[in-house]
Amino acid sequence: MVHLLTGISEANHALLSYKNSAIALQMSITELGKYTAVDRCYIFRNEFENSVIKFYYEYEWCNIGVKPYIGSPDLNGLTYDSFPGLLEKLLLKKPFHGLVAENNNPHFKEIMEMQGIKAYLFTPIFSNEKLWGWIGFDDCRNERIWEDVEAKAIQSVANNIGLRLEQEVTDKNLKNAINELELYIKSSKQAKWEWDLIENKVAFSFNWFGMLGYTEQELEQNYDTWRNNVHREDIDEIEKKLKIFIEGKTDYLEGIFRMMHKNSSIVWIKYSALAIQDINKKTV
């Protein structure tokens, strides 16, 4: 069990460490495969095609001497109709396992025996409340009997994969929204600025400086540039609201405040904000 918990820890670390999701998923199952001492660990992904769910064999780790099946046409584009009961079990959101020799589905049994599999464990991956796919574990040398506590522990990795996938969809939608906003801003007198909290970097849009009478060359792109140009009577309140927003205590940040123009006049600014969060719901 100690090795399993280490593998789960390493798998979760991989999900957090790699920005590329394909690499993150591959490294995650690699760690699971190594520490669970199985012969093969893999991920199947679901895809809707003409209202029919098909699944594809997309990630794989194999132990030394075990034949890989990544890219095999026999394991891609299959429907759940070929494996009665499989979809229903995955939809229960619980891991399940067994011995191939004791399985009552002849087609499933044939496919598994073709790969030399004697025991298996499947744990579903849900993303945005939909069955995205599942992680599979194969034992080819022994008829391994999985403990329920082991299966439940592994399910935590599948759950984290689902969260990672959800976050990517959210980020993609947000980036699309930002791109649309950028196009709108360029054709209007509005402006935006972004603050990367991890790197502590700030970027202003091209017409942000113009609203205050400056050129991009006259001011540095940092937080202090924004802060120093907010009206002194408004800065405490707006920073308080900003802090609450970053901490996730409110889902929105919008209002009106004053900024100082280069010619010492006051510019009234109407603002709103969007937050990007990591899988732990922390604003980044």
Side-chain angles (χ1 to χ4, degrees), residues 57 62 108 150:
Y57 195 70
C62 292
F108 175 83
E150 294 177 313

Side-chain angles (χ1 to χ4, degrees), residues 3 40 47 67 107 122 127-128 153-154 190 205 207-208 221 223 233:
H3 288 290
R40 191 181 293 113
E47 187 171 309
K67 181 180 178 180
H107 188 57
F122 295 156
S127 180
N128 290 311
I154 289 173
Q190 299 187 62
S205 64
N207 50 346
W208 188 90
Q221 298 210 24
Y223 179 83
E233 294 179 4

Side-chain angles (χ1 to χ4, degrees), residues 112-130:
M112 299 295 274
E113 289 180 340
M114 177 191 72
Q115 301 174 66
I117 301 169
K118 294 184 177 182
Y120 62 90
L121 165 65
F122 295 156
T123 180
I125 300 171
F126 278 79
S127 180
N128 290 311
E129 296 301 316
K130 295 182 179 179

